[in-house]
Amino acid sequence: MPSPDRKYEIILLGATGYTGKYCAEHIVKNLPTDLRWAVAGRSEVKLSTLINELESLNTDRLGPGVEIASLDPEDLDALVKKTKLLITTVGPFHKYGSPVVEACAGNGTHYVDSTGETPWVLEMIRKYHDIAQANRAIMIPQCGLESACSDIMVYLVVSLIRDKLKVGVKDVTATNSVLTSLPSGGTLATVFGIFDHYGIAQLIESSKPYALSPVPGHKDKLASLLTRLSGVRYVPDLGTLTTGLASGANISIVQRSWGLLERGDYYGQNFQYEEYASTRNSFTGFVTHLMITFGMAALAIPPVRWLAKMFVHQPGEGPTKESTAKDRVEFKAIATADTADSERATAICGFNGSAYDFTGVLMAEAAFSIVRDGDKTPASKIGGGVLTPATLGQAYVDRLRNAGVVLEASVLGR
């Protein structure tokens, strides 16, 4: 656990990157002015330019501290010892993230990141969960759009059913019903890099059901052959759904939350989670399913990845703020209570802004919850380790709502 006399409460590593800037802007505009925080990176010039930009957003607060640091182990050790918590957006994480996790776990420094790289997260759990827990460091990967929105939405609807119906949950089906943002260069570099870094066996292992869960899961229900081939299904109150590009990453985190929270008892021992993408009709759903399936298969071929890299944003770049001004992110879920009459509840997680702006909000509010909410979170009661956004519990839900995120749940028919 970080000592109370550390210089900072939060350091943001990678603040000059595309996603990092959104996170820094949210901190400046929305978090309390008494927060002790700093930005960190290799380039003093870039950091100074960023601070000048941030000062114009909120003239009532002092600028953040500046820490010059590389990803050298000695630099990272010195950096993380100065703060209670480190946020990092420096990816691809399989390439740059492991030394940061090692430093935080070993020094008892809390940690939040924006990765969506499930194979890498599995690797970090195996290497550093026990070390982090021994040092009471709360470490939360995949705390951006992947996978905090899905994870905290499921926690919210499960908690509602627990409170209102006094039972666990049989299943939750979710969809990203609205997602208009285009990917940044960093996101695309990560997709390409995963296929360069991990073998097929590792990718298959990390994609298995409950691969990240500390508790062995049960077999999920098997969809019909037609549904599996077409990727299309219809779910009442959610509409026509198809294969989602980020669904696998989100499912793995929700399943880890299931195992972390009372070893599956809080969500329910019969709990199952599925996630898809909304689509206009069966035909477009089928086409989307084929594009994702064959697109991912094609990326396993090195010449295809080399060619694709020539036509995308480079790391650090992404859609302009002007082009994302009308973007919206929205996830919806339907949950079925584990009762004889299968009562249902619905939940929504929504945000007006780009996916990367939303990621900045999700990470900043998670970090602030960890350093300020203390024993209010299930994560604190677990004692640290490589955890999930849902382990920040109701305190995190409340902070996100105050930051403008729509988080609602209700029992249908009541």
Side-chain angles (χ1 to χ4, degrees):
M1 179 181 290
S3 60
D5 58 349
R6 292 193 179 185
K7 184 176 181 180
Y8 303 111
E9 291 176 274
I10 295 173
I11 289 179
L12 172 58
L13 180 64
T16 60
Y18 186 76
T19 302
K21 284 182 181 179
Y22 277 111
C23 188
E25 289 174 4
H26 181 78
I27 292 173
V28 167
K29 292 189 289 186
N30 295 280
L31 297 192
T33 56
D34 65 348
L35 176 71
R36 306 189 318 276
W37 76 294
V39 292
R42 292 177 298 175
S43 172
E44 186 172 3
V45 173
K46 288 184 178 180
L47 290 171
S48 296
T49 301
L50 173 67
I51 288 175
N52 290 334
E53 294 172 1
L54 295 176
E55 286 177 348
S56 67
L57 299 176
N58 187 347
T59 56
D60 293 331
R61 76 182 299 155
L62 295 174
V66 177
E67 296 291 334
I68 308 303
S70 70
L71 297 180
D72 176 82
E74 290 185 6
D75 270 14
L76 287 173
D77 265 355
L79 182 70
V80 303
K81 286 176 181 176
K82 295 179 181 180
T83 185
K84 292 182 178 180
L85 182 146
L86 184 85
I87 302 173
T88 175
T89 62
V90 180
F93 286 84
H94 64 267
K95 189 174 182 180
Y96 302 117
S98 300
V100 184
V101 172
E102 182 178 14
C104 288
N107 287 286
T109 301
H110 304 313
Y111 168 97
V112 170
D113 77 31
S114 58
T115 189
E117 302 160 52
T118 305
W120 178 77
V121 172
L122 177 59
E123 184 182 347
M124 294 302 98
I125 290 169
R126 289 175 172 172
K127 287 184 176 180
Y128 300 115
H129 173 77
D130 291 343
I131 297 170
Q133 193 164 56
N135 292 317
R136 297 191 65 81
I138 296 170
M139 309 191 69
I140 302 186
Q142 292 189 216
C143 198
L145 183 64
E146 299 169 345
S147 302
C149 186
S150 298
D151 199 34
I152 202 65
M153 178 178 66
V154 173
Y155 174 84
L156 182 66
V157 75
V158 168
S159 297
L160 175 75
I161 289 174
R162 278 280 176 203
D163 179 53
K164 300 295 184 182
L165 305 179
K166 313 301 180 187
V167 295
V169 173
K170 187 185 304 179
D171 61 67
V172 178
T173 301
T175 176
N176 57 321
S177 53
V178 181
L179 184 59
T180 55
S181 297
L182 295 172
S184 72
T187 299
L188 295 167
T190 295
V191 173
F192 300 144
I194 284 177
F195 286 96
D196 291 329
H197 188 79
Y198 292 102
I200 297 298
Q202 292 170 295
L203 295 174
I204 291 173
E205 182 184 15
S206 65
S207 66
K208 290 179 179 178
Y210 301 93
L212 304 190
S213 174
V215 179
H218 44 71
K219 288 186 177 181
D220 287 343
K221 58 188 178 183
L222 194 62
S224 69
L225 179 61
L226 178 61
T227 296
R228 281 179 280 155
L229 290 174
S230 69
V232 178
R233 67 218 65 214
Y234 178 82
V235 177
D237 299 304
L238 294 181
T240 304
L241 310 179
T242 188
T243 303
L245 191 59
S247 296
N250 296 338
I251 289 169
S252 68
I253 290 295
V254 172
Q255 290 173 339
R256 181 163 178 79
S257 295
W258 168 80
L260 287 168
L261 294 169
E262 301 178 15
R263 297 186 64 81
D265 286 341
Y266 186 72
Y267 282 22
Q269 290 300 326
N270 295 321
F271 176 82
Q272 293 187 339
Y273 180 67
E274 297 177 320
E275 183 175 308
Y276 306 100
S278 293
T279 186
R280 284 180 293 177
N281 52 54
S282 297
F283 176 74
T284 57
F286 178 56
V287 172
T288 299
H289 171 70
L290 290 180
M291 290 175 63
I292 291 174
T293 302
F294 288 104
M296 286 300 176
L299 288 177
I301 304 170
V304 174
R305 294 197 299 275
W306 174 83
L307 185 63
K309 291 174 185 177
M310 299 174 62
F311 298 96
V312 301
H313 289 297
Q314 295 304 302
E317 301 175 352
T320 64
K321 287 187 176 181
E322 291 75 19
S323 68
T324 63
K326 296 182 180 180
D327 282 2
R328 177 167 172 77
V329 179
E330 185 176 275
F331 282 68
K332 291 182 179 179
I334 294 292
T336 305
D338 199 2
T339 58
D341 53 359
S342 298
E343 290 187 82
R344 299 192 306 150
T346 183
I348 185 172
C349 176
F351 179 77
N352 288 323
S354 78
Y356 297 94
D357 189 2
F358 193 20
T359 288
V361 173
L362 291 164
M363 288 193 299
E365 295 295 339
F368 194 67
S369 182
I370 291 169
V371 299
R372 290 289 180 95
D373 291 331
D375 293 338
K376 295 179 183 178
T377 67
S380 180
K381 295 179 175 63
I382 291 169
V386 182
L387 306 181
T388 62
T391 64
L392 298 180
Q394 188 61 41
Y396 187 35
V397 171
D398 293 340
R399 291 201 177 279
L400 289 174
R401 285 171 171 166
N402 290 336
V405 178
V406 175
L407 274 167
E408 299 174 353
S410 59
V411 177
L412 293 174
R414 292 197 175 194

